Amino acid sequence: MRKLFLLFLAVLLACSLCSCGSISPDERTDSHMVSNETNIYNDGEFYYDSYSRLNYFDFTTMQSAVVCPYPNCTHADSSTCSSYGLSCYPSVFDGKMYYFSDDIKYTNGTYAETITVCRCDIDGTNRIAIETFTDWEIADYNPALVVGNTIYMTAKQTTFNDYGSTEDYVSVSLISYDFETNKFSEIVKIGEGYSAGASIKGEADGTIYISYSYYDHELTDEEIDALYTDHIFPESILEYYRFDLSTGEFAENEEAVWKAVDGYLVIYNDNLTEAIIRTPNGEEYDIGNKVALQVCNDYAFHLYYGLLIDLETGVHYESKLPLETGYNVEYYLDGSYILRDSLNNEFIKLEASELIGKETTS
């Protein structure tokens, strides 16, 4: 099995990145999201298991393998198994894997956050540190976006008090790392505020969409207690931005874009209670508040609610899976859909006729 894994990894290196959809490879934008929830690479996906080990699932063979080449490895020891330590945005470029880490350094009485990018072989071995970016902290709980030879991330520029704790007031920027030049860059400052943060929502038609939130005041003890005790989140200020990859223009976006994938935009209304999905041709379909849907092969899926929409015709269909399923649609390959239960890291393959049921009213 391990030999087979190394064999298909070698095949992967000869292929270009691709994404879920019905458009041809020549028409696809060379971009994909990298997060704890999804990391599609070629006809497969990297994912973490419950031990934080990096695995790869091959959609062609429907087999999974731990990213480790050692024949007798039990994958139980993080000091000897190469599948550990690759948890922040593992991305393959030009036959090598890149990943990132955050560290706090204390030098001459001063604390500073640093981002380090490392490079290794695709099996996790031969690791070396490439470049550091000082005074920045990656928001690695949010997705990153790979476009061509560049990965885009949101990051915070923090300040420290005398005790080594970060201040609540931070500056947030869109940053990038170029795999070819091995250089970090601050692309644009998004904003600053108390408990500020930003999240990349995807790319469509050469535009990156970003959501940004912050507080205009330091949270009170009562608000913090409510947050941690009752999970009541104080109402923050929400803003939405877009960044044009070709012109470098950064501007506030009038629409609340919550997801951009394969040219489709999922957009909230002003009070974040209803959403639409807009196709590349400008068609719009209501999807209620189900913004956590997947877009694949020109269909929109939200299997938990049994929602399927043909985005070329607007026709709704029933799902043949039970409602409230834990599966998400990850990929479309050779007439079949690949579904993943991310809670249990279980993948299944269904033909369209096994997934898409009869036509229904919207």
Side-chain angles (χ1 to χ4, degrees):
M1 176 63 202
R2 196 167 284 107
K3 291 181 179 178
L4 289 175
F5 173 66
L6 294 177
L7 177 62
F8 78 67
L9 283 183
V11 173
L12 290 181
L13 298 181
C15 301
S16 62
L17 292 170
C18 58
S19 62
C20 182
S22 61
I23 52 181
S24 69
D26 292 337
E27 297 173 318
R28 289 187 178 119
T29 301
D30 187 14
S31 71
H32 68 285
M33 300 292 283
V34 179
S35 72
N36 293 332
E37 301 300 324
T38 182
N39 191 347
I40 300 293
Y41 178 70
N42 284 290
D43 291 331
E45 183 169 18
F46 290 105
Y47 70 93
Y48 308 112
D49 60 25
S50 59
Y51 299 97
S52 297
R53 299 173 300 197
L54 188 65
N55 292 249
Y56 185 81
F57 190 92
D58 183 356
F59 295 150
T60 303
T61 65
M62 295 298 289
Q63 293 182 335
S64 180
V66 178
V67 178
C68 173
Y70 302 124
N72 299 316
C73 186
T74 63
H75 314 307
D77 189 345
S78 61
S79 66
T80 58
C81 179
S82 63
S83 65
Y84 291 88
L86 304 170
S87 59
C88 186
Y89 304 145
S91 305
V92 177
F93 178 80
D94 196 24
K96 296 290 184 179
M97 182 175 287
Y98 293 78
Y99 61 98
F100 301 82
S101 65
D102 273 328
D103 296 292
I104 298 177
K105 295 187 180 298
Y106 182 74
T107 307
N108 298 325
T110 302
Y111 293 93
E113 287 270 6
T114 60
I115 301 170
T116 301
V117 59
C118 299
R119 185 177 67 205
C120 63
D121 292 341
I122 198 170
D123 59 11
T125 60
N126 299 319
R127 304 181 184 191
I128 57 173
I130 301 295
E131 181 71 9
T132 59
F133 202 32
T134 305
D135 295 328
W136 292 91
E137 174 191 359
I138 296 179
D140 59 357
Y141 43 83
N142 288 324
L145 173 72
V146 176
V147 183
N149 62 318
T150 304
I151 183 169
Y152 295 89
M153 303 164 276
T154 56
K156 299 178 181 180
Q157 196 166 31
T158 57
T159 57
F160 289 81
N161 59 30
D162 294 337
Y163 304 100
S165 299
T166 56
E167 302 287 357
D168 289 336
Y169 195 88
V170 297
S171 173
V172 181
S173 291
L174 177 68
I175 69 169
S176 69
Y177 177 77
D178 190 311
F179 296 121
E180 290 186 338
T181 64
N182 296 318
K183 295 296 182 183
F184 280 104
S185 299
E186 181 188 8
I187 301 299
V188 65
K189 178 179 176 179
I190 300 172
E192 60 183 35
Y194 292 98
S195 302
S199 177
I200 295 174
K201 296 302 182 181
E203 176 269 340
D205 196 25
T207 298
I208 297 176
Y209 292 90
I210 301 168
S211 68
Y212 171 64
S213 67
Y214 67 98
Y215 296 100
D216 58 5
H217 66 281
E218 189 170 7
L219 295 183
T220 65
D221 291 340
E222 289 77 11
E223 288 174 319
I224 294 174
D225 288 342
L227 175 61
Y228 287 102
T229 303
D230 301 319
H231 305 292
I232 299 174
F233 288 84
E235 186 173 348
S236 61
I237 299 170
L238 284 172
E239 297 173 353
Y240 302 89
Y241 292 90
R242 63 180 186 273
F243 175 73
D244 191 307
L245 288 166
S246 60
T247 66
E249 179 187 6
F250 181 76
E252 190 166 0
N253 203 51
E254 294 181 357
E255 297 179 313
V257 174
W258 207 249
K259 182 179 289 188
V261 57
D262 287 350
Y264 295 95
L265 299 179
V266 178
I267 305 168
Y268 260 130
N269 61 3
D270 291 340
N271 57 9
L272 307 183
T273 57
E274 298 290 327
I276 62 167
I277 185 166
R278 181 179 298 150
T279 74
N281 296 327
E283 300 286 344
E284 295 183 354
Y285 304 111
D286 292 330
I287 55 173
N289 63 353
K290 304 174 183 64
V291 294
L293 52 75
Q294 301 84 46
V295 176
C296 190
N297 189 38
D298 295 323
Y299 276 81
F301 298 89
H302 201 307
L303 299 181
Y304 187 86
Y305 294 102
L307 172 69
L308 287 79
I309 305 174
D310 184 335
L311 295 172
E312 293 184 335
T313 64
V315 175
H316 288 59
Y317 294 91
E318 291 182 352
S319 168
K320 289 190 174 181
L321 293 180
L323 291 180
E324 302 183 358
T325 179
Y327 285 106
N328 293 324
V329 177
E330 297 284 287
Y331 204 71
Y332 180 76
L333 179 66
D334 297 333
S336 295
Y337 291 92
I338 311 297
L339 282 69
R340 175 186 173 193
D341 180 344
S342 58
L343 184 63
N344 301 303
N345 285 320
E346 178 184 356
F347 293 82
I348 60 173
K349 180 185 290 188
L350 298 177
E351 294 184 0
S353 60
E354 298 175 293
L355 177 61
I356 303 173
K358 64 181 180 181
E359 183 177 337
T360 185
T361 57
S362 60

